[in-house]
Amino acid sequence: MNRKIVAAAAAALTGAGLVTAVALTPSASAGQTVTASDQVQSEIVAAMARDLKISPDQARTRLADEQKAAYADSALKTRLGPSYGGSWLDAAGTKLTVAVTDAALEGAVRAAGATPKTVARSAAQLDAAKQSLDAKGTSAPKNVPGWYVDVATNSIVVLAHTGGEAAAKSWATASGVRAEAVRVETSTESPVPLIDVIGGNAYTFGSGRCSIGFSVEGGFVTAGHCGTTGTRTSNPSGTVAGSTFPGNDYAWVRVDAGNTPRGLVNRYPGTVPVAGSQEAAIGASVCRSGSTTGWHCGTIQQKNASVNYPQGTVSGLTRTNACAEPGDSGGSWLAGDQAQGVTSGGSGNCTSGGTFYFQPVSVILSVYGLKLVTSGSNPPSSTTTTPTNTTSNPPTGTWAAGTTYAAGATVTYNGVSYRALQGHTAQAGWEPPNVPALWARA
């Protein structure tokens, strides 16, 4: 990444007491040989090269650079505090831009190896504006397929079908969002949950088929539209222990005795180990696995997107261009060997392309108090999200891991007040500034 982040991560960041970036290395589960681990890495690289139309060497470089960028961004998020305006990678994955509302902090961004951009609105303000739209989601015009935070333009983008742009703008401003913060984009998207009613060999429920997301202790996570609480599943056999859709799109299935959850994802063919759930940056590459179309890769385009499905609005999704089709719902999304989320839905297919969405996995784990099953490797982060506080002083405030917070609950963390966006049980690594899907600055 013009190698600035690589050097700064080891020098400037450490000197500033933020975080030391760790180079991306192939992970291996217990008992695996280096050769097996290298094979897994080469399969990921091959899929990225195919779908992103880059060389294998470029794919390896991109993976390593993106990992370093993720750690740099995590550190800056804490360092910049309420002035943080979001971050994104360029199309090549080589340049990390970090937005700030205070020009005096541009130097801190440069010291971390990133490019600063001074903006009018902070990430917290953008999230709050989008939350206003979410609250009015049921009144959104039928020709509005969704909306999302676009940190690169420092605005809220509302999608509208041709001819519906004026109605979309009116709805957004009537929802309490300032007109200058909204951009209306004409879109052909018509997202639907990716359920295939034809029986398949993934996991089935009644006459439907979906895909397993990630193994957790006692079962697996998947999409909420793949079955309501109490629904029985087959192959593997189990029961949906919790499900939310619409609003969110997540569920988890408690499998019956005799089924063994493993920290692996099907790569069609072969498997990829899951080492943790470090969140990747906007612009980072991401690969998806599903029982209909197999393994496909793309890039993360936006986070905190809301989608207006026919069944209702789903918020907090991540927007990508990695294709999926019916039956892929609930399937795994990985950045390298780090779990990112489960397939929700999209508009398009794997022939013509399109726009596709996943539900971040960190939210699912938190809401249900689940623990991700990993491959046994020992990545630099935990199996959840890397804590952003790396100084010798412990964080201050009322937030505490292990505490159950209801939606609307308020806490303080390092001098900043936060409001819970949804009920969940806090875990180490999910500090309020690190999990925007769960917390917003108050």
Side-chain angles (χ1 to χ4, degrees), residues 194-205 207-214 220-223 225-226 234-236 265-270 287-296 323-333 342-343 350:
L194 299 176
I195 292 179
D196 191 343
V197 296
I198 300 172
N201 62 357
Y203 85 92
T204 59
F205 54 102
S207 60
R209 170 171 62 87
C210 275
S211 300
I212 293 171
F214 294 97
F220 62 88
V221 295
T222 185
H225 70 262
C226 288
S234 301
N235 301 315
V265 168
N266 194 341
R267 199 192 61 82
Y268 291 94
C287 294
R288 178 204 57 74
S289 180
S291 59
T292 298
T293 60
W295 183 261
H296 288 274
C323 74
E325 293 183 6
D328 288 329
S329 279
S332 321
W333 290 74
V342 301
T343 300
C350 287

CSV table of all heavy atoms in Angstrom, one decimal, residues 194-205 207-214 220-223 225-226 234-236 265-270 287-296 323-333 342-343 350:
chain,number,residue,atom,x,y,z
A,194,LEU,N,-32.2,-14.6,-0.3
A,194,LEU,CA,-31.7,-15.7,-1.3
A,194,LEU,C,-32.1,-17.1,-0.8
A,194,LEU,O,-31.3,-17.9,-0.5
A,194,LEU,CB,-30.2,-15.6,-1.5
A,194,LEU,CG,-29.8,-14.2,-2.1
A,194,LEU,CD1,-28.2,-14.2,-2.2
A,194,LEU,CD2,-30.4,-14.0,-3.4
A,195,ILE,N,-33.4,-17.4,-0.7
A,195,ILE,CA,-33.9,-18.7,-0.4
A,195,ILE,C,-34.3,-19.5,-1.7
A,195,ILE,O,-34.9,-18.9,-2.6
A,195,ILE,CB,-35.2,-18.6,0.5
A,195,ILE,CG1,-34.8,-18.0,1.9
A,195,ILE,CG2,-35.8,-19.9,0.7
A,195,ILE,CD1,-36.0,-17.8,2.8
A,196,ASP,N,-33.8,-20.7,-1.7
A,196,ASP,CA,-34.2,-21.6,-2.8
A,196,ASP,C,-35.2,-22.6,-2.3
A,196,ASP,O,-34.8,-23.4,-1.4
A,196,ASP,CB,-32.9,-22.3,-3.4
A,196,ASP,CG,-33.2,-23.0,-4.7
A,196,ASP,OD1,-34.3,-23.3,-5.0
A,196,ASP,OD2,-32.2,-23.3,-5.4
A,197,VAL,N,-36.4,-22.7,-2.8
A,197,VAL,CA,-37.4,-23.6,-2.3
A,197,VAL,C,-37.1,-25.0,-2.8
A,197,VAL,O,-37.9,-26.0,-2.4
A,197,VAL,CB,-38.8,-23.2,-2.7
A,197,VAL,CG1,-39.1,-21.9,-2.0
A,197,VAL,CG2,-38.9,-23.1,-4.2
A,198,ILE,N,-36.2,-25.2,-3.7
A,198,ILE,CA,-35.8,-26.6,-4.2
A,198,ILE,C,-34.9,-27.2,-3.2
A,198,ILE,O,-33.9,-26.6,-2.8
A,198,ILE,CB,-35.2,-26.5,-5.6
A,198,ILE,CG1,-36.2,-25.8,-6.6
A,198,ILE,CG2,-34.7,-27.8,-6.1
A,198,ILE,CD1,-35.6,-25.6,-8.0
A,199,GLY,N,-35.2,-28.4,-2.8
A,199,GLY,CA,-34.3,-29.1,-1.8
A,199,GLY,C,-32.9,-29.3,-2.4
A,199,GLY,O,-32.7,-29.5,-3.5
A,200,GLY,N,-31.9,-29.2,-1.5
A,200,GLY,CA,-30.5,-29.3,-1.9
A,200,GLY,C,-29.7,-30.0,-0.8
A,200,GLY,O,-30.3,-30.6,0.1
A,201,ASN,N,-28.4,-30.0,-0.9
A,201,ASN,CA,-27.6,-30.8,0.0
A,201,ASN,C,-26.8,-29.9,1.0
A,201,ASN,O,-25.9,-30.5,1.7
A,201,ASN,CB,-26.5,-31.6,-0.8
A,201,ASN,CG,-25.6,-30.7,-1.6
A,201,ASN,OD1,-25.7,-29.5,-1.6
A,201,ASN,ND2,-24.6,-31.3,-2.3
A,202,ALA,N,-27.3,-28.7,1.1
A,202,ALA,CA,-26.7,-27.9,2.2
A,202,ALA,C,-27.4,-28.2,3.5
A,202,ALA,O,-27.5,-29.4,3.9
A,202,ALA,CB,-26.8,-26.4,1.9
A,203,TYR,N,-28.1,-27.3,4.1
A,203,TYR,CA,-29.0,-27.7,5.2
A,203,TYR,C,-30.4,-27.2,4.8
A,203,TYR,O,-30.5,-26.2,4.0
A,203,TYR,CB,-28.6,-27.1,6.6
A,203,TYR,CG,-29.1,-25.7,6.8
A,203,TYR,CD1,-30.3,-25.4,7.5
A,203,TYR,CD2,-28.3,-24.6,6.5
A,203,TYR,CE1,-30.7,-24.1,7.8
A,203,TYR,CE2,-28.7,-23.3,6.8
A,203,TYR,CZ,-29.9,-23.1,7.4
A,203,TYR,OH,-30.4,-21.8,7.7
A,204,THR,N,-31.3,-28.0,5.1
A,204,THR,CA,-32.7,-27.8,4.7
A,204,THR,C,-33.6,-27.6,5.8
A,204,THR,O,-33.4,-28.0,7.0
A,204,THR,CB,-33.2,-29.0,3.8
A,204,THR,OG1,-33.2,-30.2,4.6
A,204,THR,CG2,-32.4,-29.2,2.6
A,205,PHE,N,-34.7,-26.9,5.5
A,205,PHE,CA,-35.8,-26.7,6.5
A,205,PHE,C,-37.1,-26.7,5.8
A,205,PHE,O,-37.3,-25.9,4.9
A,205,PHE,CB,-35.6,-25.3,7.2
A,205,PHE,CG,-35.5,-24.1,6.3
A,205,PHE,CD1,-36.5,-23.3,6.1
A,205,PHE,CD2,-34.3,-23.9,5.6
A,205,PHE,CE1,-36.4,-22.2,5.2
A,205,PHE,CE2,-34.2,-22.8,4.7
A,205,PHE,CZ,-35.2,-22.0,4.5
A,207,SER,N,-39.4,-27.1,3.0
A,207,SER,CA,-39.1,-27.3,1.6
A,207,SER,C,-38.0,-26.3,1.1
A,207,SER,O,-37.8,-26.2,-0.1
A,207,SER,CB,-40.4,-27.0,0.8
A,207,SER,OG,-40.9,-25.7,1.0
A,208,GLY,N,-37.4,-25.6,2.0
A,208,GLY,CA,-36.4,-24.6,1.7
A,208,GLY,C,-35.0,-25.1,1.9
A,208,GLY,O,-34.7,-26.1,2.6
A,209,ARG,N,-34.0,-24.4,1.3
A,209,ARG,CA,-32.6,-24.7,1.5
A,209,ARG,C,-31.8,-23.4,1.6
A,209,ARG,O,-32.1,-22.4,1.0
A,209,ARG,CB,-32.1,-25.4,0.2
A,209,ARG,CG,-30.5,-25.6,0.2
A,209,ARG,CD,-30.0,-26.5,-0.9
A,209,ARG,NE,-30.3,-26.0,-2.2
A,209,ARG,CZ,-29.6,-25.1,-2.9
A,209,ARG,NH1,-28.5,-24.7,-2.3
A,209,ARG,NH2,-29.9,-24.7,-4.1
A,210,CYS,N,-30.9,-23.4,2.6
A,210,CYS,CA,-30.0,-22.3,2.8
A,210,CYS,C,-28.6,-22.9,3.0
A,210,CYS,O,-28.4,-24.1,2.9
A,210,CYS,CB,-30.5,-21.5,4.0
A,210,CYS,SG,-31.7,-20.2,3.6
A,211,SER,N,-27.7,-22.0,3.4
A,211,SER,CA,-26.3,-22.4,3.6
A,211,SER,C,-25.8,-22.1,5.0
A,211,SER,O,-26.3,-21.1,5.6
A,211,SER,CB,-25.4,-21.6,2.6
A,211,SER,OG,-25.8,-21.9,1.2
A,212,ILE,N,-25.0,-22.9,5.5
A,212,ILE,CA,-24.4,-22.7,6.8
A,212,ILE,C,-23.5,-21.5,6.8
A,212,ILE,O,-22.7,-21.4,5.8
A,212,ILE,CB,-23.7,-24.0,7.3
A,212,ILE,CG1,-24.7,-25.1,7.5
A,212,ILE,CG2,-22.9,-23.7,8.6
A,212,ILE,CD1,-24.0,-26.5,7.8
A,213,GLY,N,-23.6,-20.7,7.8
A,213,GLY,CA,-22.6,-19.6,7.9
A,213,GLY,C,-21.3,-20.0,8.5
A,213,GLY,O,-20.4,-20.4,7.8
A,214,PHE,N,-21.2,-19.9,9.8
A,214,PHE,CA,-20.0,-20.3,10.6
A,214,PHE,C,-20.4,-21.2,11.7
A,214,PHE,O,-21.5,-21.0,12.4
A,214,PHE,CB,-19.3,-19.1,11.1
A,214,PHE,CG,-18.7,-18.3,10.0
A,214,PHE,CD1,-19.4,-17.1,9.5
A,214,PHE,CD2,-17.5,-18.6,9.4
A,214,PHE,CE1,-18.9,-16.4,8.5
A,214,PHE,CE2,-17.0,-17.8,8.4
A,214,PHE,CZ,-17.7,-16.7,7.9
A,220,PHE,N,-24.5,-23.6,14.5
A,220,PHE,CA,-24.0,-22.7,13.5
A,220,PHE,C,-24.9,-21.5,13.3
A,220,PHE,O,-26.0,-21.5,13.7
A,220,PHE,CB,-23.8,-23.4,12.1
A,220,PHE,CG,-25.1,-24.0,11.5
A,220,PHE,CD1,-25.9,-23.2,10.7
A,220,PHE,CD2,-25.5,-25.3,11.8
A,220,PHE,CE1,-27.1,-23.7,10.2
A,220,PHE,CE2,-26.7,-25.8,11.2
A,220,PHE,CZ,-27.5,-25.0,10.4
A,221,VAL,N,-24.3,-20.4,12.8
A,221,VAL,CA,-25.1,-19.2,12.5
A,221,VAL,C,-25.4,-19.2,11.0
A,221,VAL,O,-24.8,-19.7,10.2
A,221,VAL,CB,-24.3,-17.9,12.9
A,221,VAL,CG1,-24.1,-17.9,14.4
A,221,VAL,CG2,-23.0,-17.8,12.1
A,222,THR,N,-26.5,-18.5,10.7
A,222,THR,CA,-27.0,-18.4,9.4
A,222,THR,C,-27.9,-17.2,9.3
A,222,THR,O,-27.9,-16.3,10.2
A,222,THR,CB,-27.8,-19.7,9.0
A,222,THR,OG1,-28.2,-19.7,7.6
A,222,THR,CG2,-29.0,-19.9,9.9
A,223,ALA,N,-28.7,-17.1,8.2
A,223,ALA,CA,-29.6,-15.9,8.0
A,223,ALA,C,-30.9,-16.1,8.7
A,223,ALA,O,-31.4,-17.2,8.8
A,223,ALA,CB,-29.8,-15.7,6.5
A,225,HIS,N,-33.8,-15.1,7.7
A,225,HIS,CA,-35.0,-15.4,6.8
A,225,HIS,C,-35.0,-16.9,6.4
A,225,HIS,O,-35.9,-17.3,5.7
A,225,HIS,CB,-34.9,-14.5,5.6
A,225,HIS,CG,-33.8,-14.8,4.6
A,225,HIS,ND1,-32.7,-14.0,4.6
A,225,HIS,CD2,-33.7,-15.7,3.6
A,225,HIS,CE1,-31.9,-14.5,3.6
A,225,HIS,NE2,-32.5,-15.5,3.0
A,226,CYS,N,-34.0,-17.7,6.9
A,226,CYS,CA,-33.9,-19.1,6.6
A,226,CYS,C,-34.7,-19.9,7.6
A,226,CYS,O,-34.6,-21.2,7.5
A,226,CYS,CB,-32.5,-19.5,6.5
A,226,CYS,SG,-31.5,-18.9,5.1
A,234,SER,N,-32.4,-30.1,8.6
A,234,SER,CA,-31.9,-31.4,8.3
A,234,SER,C,-30.5,-31.2,7.6
A,234,SER,O,-30.3,-30.2,6.9
A,234,SER,CB,-32.8,-32.2,7.3
A,234,SER,OG,-34.1,-32.4,7.9
A,235,ASN,N,-29.6,-32.1,7.8
A,235,ASN,CA,-28.3,-32.2,7.2
A,235,ASN,C,-27.5,-30.9,7.3
A,235,ASN,O,-27.2,-30.2,6.4
A,235,ASN,CB,-28.5,-32.5,5.7
A,235,ASN,CG,-29.1,-33.8,5.4
A,235,ASN,OD1,-28.8,-34.8,6.0
A,235,ASN,ND2,-30.1,-33.8,4.5
A,236,PRO,N,-27.1,-30.5,8.6
A,236,PRO,CA,-27.3,-31.3,9.8
A,236,PRO,C,-28.6,-31.1,10.5
A,236,PRO,O,-29.3,-30.0,10.3
A,236,PRO,CB,-26.1,-30.7,10.7
A,236,PRO,CG,-26.0,-29.3,10.3
A,236,PRO,CD,-26.3,-29.3,8.8
A,265,VAL,N,-14.7,-23.6,6.3
A,265,VAL,CA,-15.7,-23.1,5.3
A,265,VAL,C,-15.4,-23.9,4.0
A,265,VAL,O,-14.2,-24.0,3.6
A,265,VAL,CB,-15.6,-21.6,5.1
A,265,VAL,CG1,-16.4,-21.2,3.9
A,265,VAL,CG2,-16.1,-20.9,6.4
A,266,ASN,N,-16.4,-24.3,3.4
A,266,ASN,CA,-16.3,-25.0,2.1
A,266,ASN,C,-15.9,-24.0,1.0
A,266,ASN,O,-16.5,-23.0,0.8
A,266,ASN,CB,-17.7,-25.7,1.7
A,266,ASN,CG,-17.6,-26.7,0.6
A,266,ASN,OD1,-16.6,-26.7,-0.2
A,266,ASN,ND2,-18.5,-27.5,0.5
A,267,ARG,N,-14.8,-24.4,0.3
A,267,ARG,CA,-14.3,-23.5,-0.8
A,267,ARG,C,-14.8,-24.0,-2.2
A,267,ARG,O,-14.5,-23.4,-3.2
A,267,ARG,CB,-12.8,-23.4,-0.7
A,267,ARG,CG,-12.2,-22.3,-1.5
A,267,ARG,CD,-10.7,-22.4,-1.6
A,267,ARG,NE,-10.3,-23.6,-2.4
A,267,ARG,CZ,-10.4,-23.7,-3.7
A,267,ARG,NH1,-10.8,-22.6,-4.4
A,267,ARG,NH2,-10.0,-24.8,-4.3
A,268,TYR,N,-15.4,-25.2,-2.2
A,268,TYR,CA,-15.9,-25.7,-3.5
A,268,TYR,C,-14.8,-25.8,-4.6
A,268,TYR,O,-14.9,-25.0,-5.6
A,268,TYR,CB,-17.1,-24.9,-4.0
A,268,TYR,CG,-18.3,-25.1,-3.1
A,268,TYR,CD1,-18.6,-24.2,-2.1
A,268,TYR,CD2,-19.2,-26.2,-3.3
A,268,TYR,CE1,-19.7,-24.4,-1.2
A,268,TYR,CE2,-20.3,-26.3,-2.5
A,268,TYR,CZ,-20.6,-25.5,-1.5
A,268,TYR,OH,-21.7,-25.6,-0.7
A,269,PRO,N,-13.9,-26.7,-4.6
A,269,PRO,CA,-13.7,-27.8,-3.6
A,269,PRO,C,-12.7,-27.4,-2.5
A,269,PRO,O,-12.1,-26.3,-2.6
A,269,PRO,CB,-13.1,-28.9,-4.5
A,269,PRO,CG,-12.3,-28.1,-5.5
A,269,PRO,CD,-13.0,-26.9,-5.8
A,270,GLY,N,-12.5,-28.3,-1.6
A,270,GLY,CA,-11.6,-28.0,-0.5
A,270,GLY,C,-12.3,-27.2,0.6
A,270,GLY,O,-13.4,-26.8,0.5
A,287,CYS,N,-14.4,-13.0,0.3
A,287,CYS,CA,-14.9,-14.1,-0.5
A,287,CYS,C,-16.1,-14.8,0.2
A,287,CYS,O,-16.2,-14.8,1.5
A,287,CYS,CB,-13.8,-15.2,-0.6
A,287,CYS,SG,-12.4,-14.6,-1.6
A,288,ARG,N,-17.0,-15.3,-0.6
A,288,ARG,CA,-18.2,-15.9,-0.1
A,288,ARG,C,-18.4,-17.3,-0.5
A,288,ARG,O,-18.0,-17.7,-1.6
A,288,ARG,CB,-19.4,-15.0,-0.7
A,288,ARG,CG,-20.7,-15.5,-0.2
A,288,ARG,CD,-21.8,-15.1,-1.2
A,288,ARG,NE,-21.5,-15.5,-2.6
A,288,ARG,CZ,-21.7,-16.8,-3.0
A,288,ARG,NH1,-22.0,-17.7,-2.1
A,288,ARG,NH2,-21.4,-17.1,-4.2
A,289,SER,N,-19.0,-18.1,0.4
A,289,SER,CA,-19.2,-19.5,0.1
A,289,SER,C,-20.7,-19.8,0.3
A,289,SER,O,-21.3,-19.4,1.3
A,289,SER,CB,-18.4,-20.4,1.1
A,289,SER,OG,-18.7,-21.8,0.9
A,290,GLY,N,-21.3,-20.5,-0.7
A,290,GLY,CA,-22.7,-20.8,-0.6
A,290,GLY,C,-23.0,-22.1,-1.4
A,290,GLY,O,-22.3,-22.5,-2.3
A,291,SER,N,-24.1,-22.8,-1.0
A,291,SER,CA,-24.4,-24.1,-1.6
A,291,SER,C,-24.9,-24.1,-3.0
A,291,SER,O,-25.0,-25.1,-3.6
A,291,SER,CB,-25.4,-24.8,-0.6
A,291,SER,OG,-26.6,-24.1,-0.5
A,292,THR,N,-25.3,-22.9,-3.5
A,292,THR,CA,-25.7,-22.9,-4.9
A,292,THR,C,-24.6,-22.5,-5.9
A,292,THR,O,-24.4,-23.2,-6.9
A,292,THR,CB,-26.9,-21.8,-5.0
A,292,THR,OG1,-28.0,-22.2,-4.2
A,292,THR,CG2,-27.3,-21.7,-6.5
A,293,THR,N,-23.9,-21.5,-5.6
A,293,THR,CA,-22.9,-21.0,-6.5
A,293,THR,C,-21.4,-21.2,-6.1
A,293,THR,O,-20.5,-20.9,-6.8
A,293,THR,CB,-23.1,-19.5,-6.8
A,293,THR,OG1,-22.9,-18.8,-5.6
A,293,THR,CG2,-24.4,-19.3,-7.4
A,294,GLY,N,-21.2,-21.8,-4.9
A,294,GLY,CA,-19.9,-22.1,-4.5
A,294,GLY,C,-19.1,-20.9,-3.9
A,294,GLY,O,-19.6,-20.2,-3.1
A,295,TRP,N,-17.9,-20.7,-4.4
A,295,TRP,CA,-17.0,-19.8,-3.9
A,295,TRP,C,-16.8,-18.6,-4.8
A,295,TRP,O,-16.3,-18.8,-5.9
A,295,TRP,CB,-15.7,-20.5,-3.6
A,295,TRP,CG,-14.6,-19.7,-2.9
A,295,TRP,CD1,-13.5,-19.1,-3.6
A,295,TRP,CD2,-14.4,-19.5,-1.5
A,295,TRP,NE1,-12.7,-18.6,-2.6
A,295,TRP,CE2,-13.2,-18.7,-1.4
A,295,TRP,CE3,-15.1,-19.8,-0.4
A,295,TRP,CZ2,-12.7,-18.3,-0.2
A,295,TRP,CZ3,-14.6,-19.4,0.8
A,295,TRP,CH2,-13.5,-18.7,1.0
A,296,HIS,N,-17.1,-17.4,-4.4
A,296,HIS,CA,-16.9,-16.2,-5.2
A,296,HIS,C,-16.3,-15.1,-4.3
A,296,HIS,O,-16.6,-15.0,-3.1
A,296,HIS,CB,-18.2,-15.8,-5.8
A,296,HIS,CG,-18.6,-16.7,-6.9
A,296,HIS,ND1,-18.2,-16.5,-8.2
A,296,HIS,CD2,-19.5,-17.8,-6.9
A,296,HIS,CE1,-18.8,-17.5,-9.0
A,296,HIS,NE2,-19.5,-18.3,-8.2
A,323,CYS,N,-20.8,-12.0,-5.9
A,323,CYS,CA,-22.2,-12.5,-6.3
A,323,CYS,C,-22.7,-13.6,-5.4
A,323,CYS,O,-21.9,-14.4,-4.7
A,323,CYS,CB,-22.1,-12.9,-7.7
A,323,CYS,SG,-21.3,-14.5,-8.0
A,324,ALA,N,-24.0,-13.8,-5.4
A,324,ALA,CA,-24.7,-14.9,-4.7
A,324,ALA,C,-26.0,-15.1,-5.4
A,324,ALA,O,-26.5,-14.3,-6.2
A,324,ALA,CB,-24.9,-14.6,-3.2
A,325,GLU,N,-26.6,-16.3,-5.2
A,325,GLU,CA,-27.9,-16.6,-5.8
A,325,GLU,C,-28.8,-17.3,-4.8
A,325,GLU,O,-28.3,-17.7,-3.7
A,325,GLU,CB,-27.7,-17.5,-7.0
A,325,GLU,CG,-27.0,-16.7,-8.2
A,325,GLU,CD,-26.8,-17.5,-9.4
A,325,GLU,OE1,-27.4,-18.7,-9.5
A,325,GLU,OE2,-26.2,-17.0,-10.4
A,326,PRO,N,-30.1,-17.6,-5.1
A,326,PRO,CA,-30.9,-18.3,-4.1
A,326,PRO,C,-30.3,-19.6,-3.7
A,326,PRO,O,-29.8,-20.4,-4.5
A,326,PRO,CB,-32.2,-18.5,-5.0
A,326,PRO,CG,-32.2,-17.3,-5.9
A,326,PRO,CD,-30.8,-17.1,-6.3
A,327,GLY,N,-30.4,-19.8,-2.4
A,327,GLY,CA,-29.8,-21.0,-1.8
A,327,GLY,C,-28.5,-20.7,-1.1
A,327,GLY,O,-28.0,-21.5,-0.3
A,328,ASP,N,-27.9,-19.6,-1.5
A,328,ASP,CA,-26.6,-19.2,-0.9
A,328,ASP,C,-26.9,-18.5,0.4
A,328,ASP,O,-25.9,-18.2,1.2
A,328,ASP,CB,-25.8,-18.2,-1.8
A,328,ASP,CG,-25.2,-19.0,-3.0
A,328,ASP,OD1,-24.9,-20.2,-2.9
A,328,ASP,OD2,-25.1,-18.3,-4.1
A,329,SER,N,-28.1,-18.1,0.7
A,329,SER,CA,-28.5,-17.4,1.9
A,329,SER,C,-27.9,-18.1,3.2
A,329,SER,O,-28.0,-19.3,3.3
A,329,SER,CB,-30.0,-17.2,2.0
A,329,SER,OG,-30.4,-16.2,1.3
A,330,GLY,N,-27.4,-17.2,4.1
A,330,GLY,CA,-26.9,-17.8,5.3
A,330,GLY,C,-25.4,-18.2,5.2
A,330,GLY,O,-24.8,-18.4,6.2
A,331,GLY,N,-24.9,-18.2,4.0
A,331,GLY,CA,-23.5,-18.7,3.8
A,331,GLY,C,-22.4,-17.8,4.3
A,331,GLY,O,-22.7,-16.6,4.6
A,332,SER,N,-21.2,-18.3,4.3
A,332,SER,CA,-20.1,-17.6,4.9
A,332,SER,C,-19.5,-16.5,4.1
A,332,SER,O,-19.3,-16.7,2.8
A,332,SER,CB,-19.0,-18.7,5.2
A,332,SER,OG,-19.5,-19.9,5.6
A,333,TRP,N,-19.0,-15.5,4.7
A,333,TRP,CA,-18.2,-14.4,4.1
A,333,TRP,C,-16.9,-14.3,4.9
A,333,TRP,O,-16.9,-14.2,6.1
A,333,TRP,CB,-18.9,-13.1,4.1
A,333,TRP,CG,-20.1,-13.0,3.2
A,333,TRP,CD1,-21.3,-13.6,3.4
A,333,TRP,CD2,-20.2,-12.3,1.9
A,333,TRP,NE1,-22.1,-13.3,2.3
A,333,TRP,CE2,-21.5,-12.5,1.4
A,333,TRP,CE3,-19.3,-11.5,1.2
A,333,TRP,CZ2,-21.9,-12.0,0.2
A,333,TRP,CZ3,-19.7,-11.0,0.0
A,333,TRP,CH2,-21.0,-11.2,-0.5
A,342,VAL,N,-22.7,-13.4,7.3
A,342,VAL,CA,-23.5,-14.5,6.6
A,342,VAL,C,-24.4,-13.8,5.5
A,342,VAL,O,-24.9,-12.7,5.7
A,342,VAL,CB,-24.4,-15.3,7.6
A,342,VAL,CG1,-23.6,-15.9,8.6
A,342,VAL,CG2,-25.5,-14.4,8.2
A,343,THR,N,-24.6,-14.5,4.4
A,343,THR,CA,-25.3,-13.9,3.3
A,343,THR,C,-26.8,-13.6,3.6
A,343,THR,O,-27.5,-14.4,4.2
A,343,THR,CB,-25.3,-14.9,2.1
A,343,THR,OG1,-24.0,-15.2,1.7
A,343,THR,CG2,-26.1,-14.3,0.9
A,350,CYS,N,-24.8,-14.5,-10.4
A,350,CYS,CA,-23.3,-14.8,-10.6
A,350,CYS,C,-23.0,-14.8,-12.1
A,350,CYS,O,-21.9,-15.1,-12.5
A,350,CYS,CB,-22.9,-16.0,-10.0
A,350,CYS,SG,-22.8,-15.9,-8.2
